[in-house]
Amino acid sequence: MMRFACSQLVVERLDPLVNPGVVGTPHVHQIVGGNSFRADMKPVEYDLPTRSNCTSCTFSEDFSNYWTAALYYKARNGTFKRVSQFPNEGLIQNGGITVYYIPPYDGVSNVTAFRPGFRMLAGNPLLRNTTGESRGICHRCFEGPNFRPFGGAPCTGNDTTSFPNQFCPGGIRTTVAFPTCWDGKNLDSPDHQSHVAYSTIPFEPYYDPIATRPYTPSQERGKCPEGFPVKLPQLMYEVMWDTRPFNDKELWGEDGSQPFVYAMGDATGHGQHGDYVFGWKGDSLQRALNARCRNDKCSELISQSGEDSMKCTVPQTMKEDVDGNAWLSKIPGDIMIN
């Protein structure tokens, strides 16, 4: 299982997957990865590894781009401030995302790495309830400092698909897990989801039906539905939201309601989503998966320090205040809570 840090590349209203070519897309994203990120990134034609000269991720051959919606705090007077992110456990990073690439848990089965030009989206930014939820998108309320109690595997235990409705002394972690089955033909699809599918038997051994140890190929974890024959690694994001400064009842709604809202105006949390554009150099990702590299150390790959990865940033294309250091009267894009 590869688990590594990707520091903040830029925070702005760009989305080359859903709104290609548009500068000033509907809502704010926090983006990490290669510095060739821009508004228009046509599949295959726009080759991220050759157009990037740095990456904000640990592995120097990973010029992919990963992004999620930004999170905002709404004050009682109706103004907004962006919630910053803090480093995940054991990692050195400036905000951003923790990225996972997970091969099958049985330890022997292989998967196919994504191909140049591949991209996909997990989740639905329009969702405001549990209907139609994607598997593996959730929030964890850390009830103590230093990520303790840890709480077990993602999207289990007390994790919720909505925002937590109580103070989280250790902050909030968002998990976004992507599908692990591909049709083997299309690098993308009109909705950025139809060319991939979640497995019919969950990839993760901790989802029902719970797998028994030892994990073996005969348990068929990650079994793909008809029409999606190619098994992919489990791509997963973790975002650590520093909600700790707002753990005060005077800072929450007068009715006690939680004050956080995603950049697309979602105050429920159900609309969290993640975007991915593949950009690993050559066969580097396939080699790392075959070698079953662990965490952020891999003999198959070239690594850089956390300090060096934090140096890779790009200026905003859509220049505007997205942070609200002096408070924002509206969420950027004139987004209303919906």
Side-chain angles (χ1 to χ4, degrees):
M1 176 190 299
M2 298 165 64
R3 173 186 182 268
F4 57 91
C6 289
S7 289
Q8 208 78 77
L9 182 74
V10 65
V11 180
E12 68 169 325
R13 285 194 292 131
L14 282 191
D15 190 338
L17 187 61
V18 177
N19 304 106
V22 176
V23 176
T25 55
H27 62 266
V28 177
H29 292 101
Q30 53 102 13
I31 302 115
V32 304
N35 71 337
S36 61
F37 182 82
R38 68 177 193 180
D40 189 14
M41 301 166 69
K42 294 180 180 179
V44 182
E45 179 182 320
Y46 192 78
D47 184 58
L48 279 65
T50 57
R51 293 176 180 267
S52 299
N53 54 36
C54 74
T55 175
S56 69
C57 298
T58 297
F59 295 116
S60 303
E61 293 151 290
D62 181 13
F63 300 103
S64 306
N65 286 121
Y66 314 86
W67 64 96
T68 72
L71 181 67
Y72 286 86
Y73 161 76
K74 181 185 177 183
R76 286 185 178 181
N77 66 2
T79 58
F80 298 88
K81 181 185 291 288
R82 186 171 70 86
V83 177
S84 62
Q85 296 116 263
F86 61 99
N88 208 334
E89 184 172 17
L91 300 176
I92 299 172
Q93 61 190 121
N94 174 30
I97 298 172
T98 306
V99 175
Y100 289 73
Y101 286 88
I102 309 172
Y105 286 84
D106 62 33
V108 294
S109 300
N110 289 322
V111 288
T112 301
F114 307 101
R115 294 182 183 174
F118 184 92
R119 63 262 329 265
M120 62 179 169
L121 184 154
N124 180 353
L126 300 179
L127 210 62
R128 297 296 180 268
N129 54 50
T130 59
T131 303
E133 285 183 329
S134 297
R135 191 163 73 217
I137 298 181
C138 62
H139 303 84
R140 173 163 298 180
C141 177
F142 284 111
E143 298 175 359
N146 301 319
F147 316 101
R148 298 294 182 269
F150 179 67
C155 302
T156 62
N158 294 326
D159 291 358
T160 57
T161 52
S162 61
F163 285 125
N165 58 8
Q166 75 269 22
F167 294 156
C168 299
I172 297 173
R173 186 187 76 190
T174 294
T175 296
V176 178
F178 287 77
T180 56
C181 301
W182 177 41
D183 66 13
K185 301 173 184 177
N186 298 293
L187 298 173
D188 196 6
S189 52
D191 63 359
H192 316 294
Q193 295 181 318
S194 297
H195 60 307
V196 290
Y198 287 93
S199 55
T200 53
I201 299 178
F203 181 93
E204 305 87 344
Y206 44 83
Y207 286 165
D208 289 332
I210 303 297
T212 56
R213 292 180 181 271
Y215 304 140
T216 62
S218 64
Q219 296 181 21
E220 297 188 294
R221 303 305 297 190
K223 182 179 180 180
C224 289
E226 186 177 352
F228 298 88
V230 181
K231 292 186 177 182
L232 302 169
Q234 173 79 79
L235 174 65
M236 187 175 78
Y237 301 167
E238 287 180 346
V239 185
M240 313 299 293
W241 303 113
D242 193 3
T243 58
R244 296 171 294 185
F246 309 105
N247 287 336
D248 184 331
K249 66 179 182 180
E250 297 300 321
L251 299 178
W252 282 40
E254 293 183 2
D255 60 356
S257 59
Q258 71 84 27
F260 303 110
V261 54
Y262 280 123
M264 60 281 188
D266 174 23
T268 70
H270 293 292
Q272 176 60 311
H273 57 288
D275 300 67
Y276 174 62
V277 175
F278 172 81
W280 285 78
K281 186 176 181 180
D283 66 347
S284 55
L285 178 59
Q286 187 68 66
R287 288 187 285 105
L289 290 167
N290 291 349
R292 280 183 152 72
C293 292
R294 294 184 62 82
N295 296 320
D296 57 352
K297 303 292 188 295
C298 182
S299 61
E300 292 287 335
L301 301 174
I302 300 170
S303 300
Q304 62 179 346
S305 68
E307 290 77 11
D308 284 340
S309 68
M310 286 187 275
K311 295 175 184 176
C312 186
T313 61
V314 296
Q316 285 182 326
T317 305
M318 177 67 189
K319 298 186 183 302
E320 62 182 340
D321 180 10
V322 296
D323 295 325
N325 291 327
W327 296 92
L328 300 167
S329 61
K330 294 182 179 179
I331 298 173
D334 292 337
I335 296 294
M336 302 295 290
I337 294 179
N338 54 77

